[in-house]
Amino acid sequence: MTACAIEPSADPGNSGAPRAGCSITAAGAYAARLARSGPDGDSWYPERWTLDGPEPYAVPLPGNQPEEAGTEVQPMGDGRVLVHRVAAGRHVFALLYPTGPGTGELPLGAVECPADTTGLRLLPPVPGGERAYALAAGPRSTVLWQVAGGAFGPERVAEVPGRCSGGVWLDRAGRMLAVDRETGGRTKAVVVDLERDGEVSPLLQIAADSDDRLLLADPDSGLVLIGSDAPSPGRERLGWGVLGSTLPVRFPECLRMPDCVVTPFAIQPGQVLTPERCAVALRVDGAFGSWVGVWRPAERRVRHLPAPEGWLTGAGLWTPDGELRLPCSTPRSPCGVARLAAPDAGGGRTEAASGTGDAGDPGDPADAADTGESASAEESASTEESAPDESGDPGTTDPSTRASTPARPCPVPLQQAPLARLVTK
């Protein structure tokens, strides 16, 4: 397969991960995005999508003037849309809501960041949808701001030593936030406890000299997706683990696609006792464009699906019963949802289910992107080690295998955070 011919737009504050086409609330009821307007599509306005009704529908929320292309929008749990604008070096926040034919706007205040701050960006929607947070990363520390849901406008919540990126919520209460912290030239995922004045504790350390980032987490099962160069120094691999488990993080060979950028974006909820059976949706960016991958830890291959027409790339959610819903927008259907049925863990084929989006031609990029169909190199959820790959790197990384002193191994992955007592596996 040839090297990637495209460079997807990336979020510089989120470890270079490709941007998603829209933001969806944790409960899946609302979504928000910037939509194009104007005769040439050269101006932007916020748009709210309602996803929990019989049919999805969109409500435009244009302000008094067009938005900048870099404006961030995020849906709240009550249907309002949080907007983050940058004006004269200040980060300005407001809540938008429909008012008959117009748009209402509730100013929330502004945040001024020091000149050496790389920027301020919104974190993913908080479970419950009543609050919103943002990270402002500086050269030596990162400030966590609550920008919506407070009593007096934006509030400084905590300051974390080191430069932080990412951001994953680990519980349904919106208390435990995982961020990827860079200190001393290494990046490790840590947990910030919002109910203990921003207390920071380690979450993920596979080896002392590895970069270990948390990409996605499911609070129900404890399943987490991580990116780490522990099994292949200098080359990040995609792996999985379970919060609170004593088993090491595993790096399946089928998730290794050297010519593509693979970004997990949704985990099937509700699988409390069986994290290895959770379906995981992957955004795959390669030479043929972007498409969807579906994978379970209990399986040994990724199932590749063509992206639905008009997919808001990288956005989607799972239902507990295993239906993947992908928001789509086309001239024919400006607000639609493609529904894909997940395969069962026994190996059933993934097929498009009925929905308002177009599932696309099954013969296109899925066949051309056959980089993840290998079923021989990684184990499922057993305790045995995987076979080495062609470079000699193991598919499973035990945290003690690369420790500098055998008598003092590195912490067991995912066992150092206060989340350990909240999960069952």
Side-chain angles (χ1 to χ4, degrees), residues 227-251:
S228 174
D229 64 354
S232 306
R235 293 181 292 132
E236 184 173 277
R237 294 273 299 272
L238 189 61
W240 69 279
V242 179
L243 289 171
S245 173
T246 58
L247 296 178
V249 169
R250 309 185 72 79
F251 294 89

Side-chain angles (χ1 to χ4, degrees), residues 80-360:
R80 294 183 293 179
V81 172
L82 174 66
V83 60
H84 166 212
R85 306 178 177 112
V86 180
R90 302 171 75 239
H91 299 266
V92 183
F93 299 90
L95 289 172
L96 307 180
Y97 54 93
T99 57
T103 301
E105 181 168 330
L106 175 64
L108 297 178
V111 172
E112 294 192 24
C113 296
D116 57 358
T117 301
T118 57
L120 184 145
R121 62 177 182 85
L122 292 176
L123 289 171
V126 182
E130 298 176 353
R131 295 167 285 142
Y133 293 87
L135 278 182
R140 291 173 296 277
S141 65
T142 299
V143 177
L144 175 65
W145 290 87
Q146 181 176 341
V147 297
F152 307 103
E155 300 176 14
R156 185 184 176 113
V157 175
E159 184 169 359
V160 181
R163 182 187 297 269
C164 296
S165 59
V168 177
W169 296 102
L170 300 178
D171 62 340
R172 294 291 182 194
R175 170 184 173 179
M176 299 293 189
L177 172 67
V179 294
D180 303 320
R181 180 175 67 174
E182 179 186 348
T183 56
R186 292 296 174 190
T187 299
K188 304 290 183 184
V190 298
V191 174
V192 182
D193 188 337
L194 302 188
E195 290 190 4
R196 301 181 112 182
D197 299 323
E199 179 181 277
V200 178
S201 57
L203 174 64
L204 181 62
Q205 177 168 297
I206 299 177
D209 57 348
S210 62
D211 291 319
D212 310 313
R213 301 186 298 116
L214 188 68
L215 307 178
L216 201 61
D218 173 54
D220 294 335
S221 62
L223 177 66
V224 294
L225 276 296
I226 71 160
S228 174
D229 64 354
S232 306
R235 293 181 292 132
E236 184 173 277
R237 294 273 299 272
L238 189 61
W240 69 279
V242 179
L243 289 171
S245 173
T246 58
L247 296 178
V249 169
R250 309 185 72 79
F251 294 89
E253 185 68 15
C254 66
L255 297 181
R256 186 183 184 192
M257 306 180 203
D259 297 326
C260 301
V261 177
V262 183
T263 308
F265 65 89
I267 301 177
Q268 181 184 0
Q271 314 301 302
V272 177
L273 300 178
T274 55
E276 70 281 354
R277 295 179 64 88
C278 291
V280 179
L282 309 169
R283 168 182 177 172
V284 187
D285 296 286
F288 300 95
S290 300
W291 62 94
V292 180
V294 176
W295 168 80
R296 297 176 190 265
E299 294 186 333
R300 298 187 177 188
R301 65 169 179 163
V302 175
R303 302 169 191 272
H304 296 275
L305 303 171
E309 181 184 359
W311 180 33
L312 303 183
T313 311
L317 67 140
W318 288 102
T319 63
D321 57 357
E323 183 180 75
L324 178 59
R325 298 180 178 179
L326 304 174
C328 306
S329 180
T330 66
R332 182 178 68 254
S333 178
C335 179
V337 175
R339 303 170 188 269
L340 306 177
D344 57 37
R349 183 176 179 80
T350 303
E351 298 178 350
S354 60
T356 56
D358 184 357

